[in-house]
Amino acid sequence: MRIPFLKSAPTVAVIRLHGTIGAASRGAGLSDAALAPLLARAFRKGGPRAVALSINSPGGSPVQSSLIAARIRRLADRHKLPVHAFVEDVAASGGYWLATAADDIWADHSSVLGSIGVIAAGFGFSDLIARHGIERRVHTAGRSKSMLDPFRPESPEDVARLERLMQPMHDAFKTQVSARRGNRLAQGTDLFTGDVWTGAQAVEVGLADGIAHMEPKLRELYGDKVRLRHYGARKPFLRRLGMSADDLVDAVHDRVAWPGTGR
């Protein structure tokens, strides 16, 4: 209950963005759809003075990274709130994309930031299956449908097509970083090679604004009485019990297969 005329302590909403980024099944990973209601609530509930992002992510889907960061910026502009990012262990690749949604980025000395690039990786098994007399049979309508089949020799045409897909993604990432970090980025240093920097190094090249931990920095910015209201993706009930849906299905299968054995 709020007492009239009594000034309340400022509140900062803290949003936990931990884990890989992608529209994964069973609620795993950070995705725009899963985070949308949480972000809306964090920016609105209780009239916060600011929003802080607690980031610990090695990256993932470029599309989901873009969608989440764009949503954060829309909410920040709509509610006219400053956004601060605090990097824990890592904000790499898509994790750094999320950090650029903030107005400033803070890190630990040993945090890892950057990896501004795009990667596609896989394996080739064509020689292995040939040695064992295995024949690969693939039938497609459309000659590019079986691009980079790991059981066929890699072709220059497939590699060229992949590079044509990856380059626009890399360009979008570079545009995001350049637009959000602006003249804070070090001149004369190529920051878009996919390299990574420690927190202290990231400050030197302009990928971060300083070395700071969340609670003391927010007290410095908003006073010693600032209250932090934490928001994070809620784990499914089974995961909170240390189980997954797969574990439950396996347990049911075991009971059906071995009735009355106590397994």
Side-chain angles (χ1 to χ4, degrees), residues 167-181:
Q167 191 57 55
M169 298 179 191
H170 194 201
D171 291 342
F173 199 169
K174 292 190 289 186
T175 297
Q176 169 74 9
V177 175
S178 297
R180 294 297 303 158
R181 299 299 296 171

Side-chain angles (χ1 to χ4, degrees), residues 9-216:
T11 299
V12 174
V14 178
I15 302 170
R16 179 184 171 92
L17 299 175
H18 290 201
T20 56
I21 303 167
S25 63
R26 297 194 181 102
L30 301 171
S31 69
D32 181 57
L35 289 171
L38 181 149
L39 291 172
R41 193 162 60 250
F43 274 86
R44 182 190 69 249
K45 186 176 179 180
R49 286 275 302 278
V51 170
L53 308 177
S54 169
I55 297 177
N56 200 350
S57 173
S61 162
V63 174
Q64 294 300 316
S65 302
S66 176
L67 290 172
I68 295 167
R71 183 177 297 277
I72 291 170
R73 287 315 314 160
R74 289 196 302 273
L75 288 166
D77 292 341
R78 183 184 308 159
H79 295 278
K80 296 180 172 54
L81 293 178
V83 179
H84 313 287
F86 294 89
V87 179
E88 294 192 2
D89 297 275
V90 59
S93 196
Y96 186 71
W97 192 316
L98 297 185
T100 64
D103 299 299
D104 44 49
I105 300 172
W106 307 92
D108 183 82
H109 280 93
S110 300
S111 301
V112 175
L113 294 85
S115 189
I116 303 168
V118 180
I119 185 172
F123 296 92
F125 300 99
S126 58
D127 291 341
L128 175 67
I129 66 173
R131 282 198 300 270
H132 290 275
I134 301 171
E135 181 184 359
R136 173 71 163 161
R137 296 175 180 174
V138 178
H139 307 280
T140 67
R143 63 186 180 87
S144 299
K145 189 65 177 176
S146 185
M147 185 177 79
L148 295 173
D149 186 329
F151 298 102
R152 288 183 170 182
E154 188 175 68
S155 73
E157 293 81 6
D158 281 357
V159 173
R161 280 195 289 271
L162 179 62
E163 290 174 349
R164 288 199 297 271
L165 291 173
M166 292 169 58
Q167 191 57 55
M169 298 179 191
H170 194 201
D171 291 342
F173 199 169
K174 292 190 289 186
T175 297
Q176 169 74 9
V177 175
S178 297
R180 294 297 303 158
R181 299 299 296 171
N183 58 15
R184 288 177 283 187
L185 297 175
Q187 301 301 308
T189 303
D190 188 354
L191 303 174
F192 306 131
T193 63
D195 203 352
V196 294
W197 290 263
T198 64
Q201 294 168 339
V203 174
E204 292 179 6
V205 299
L207 294 178
D209 295 285
I211 301 300
H213 294 170
M214 180 183 291
E215 291 191 16

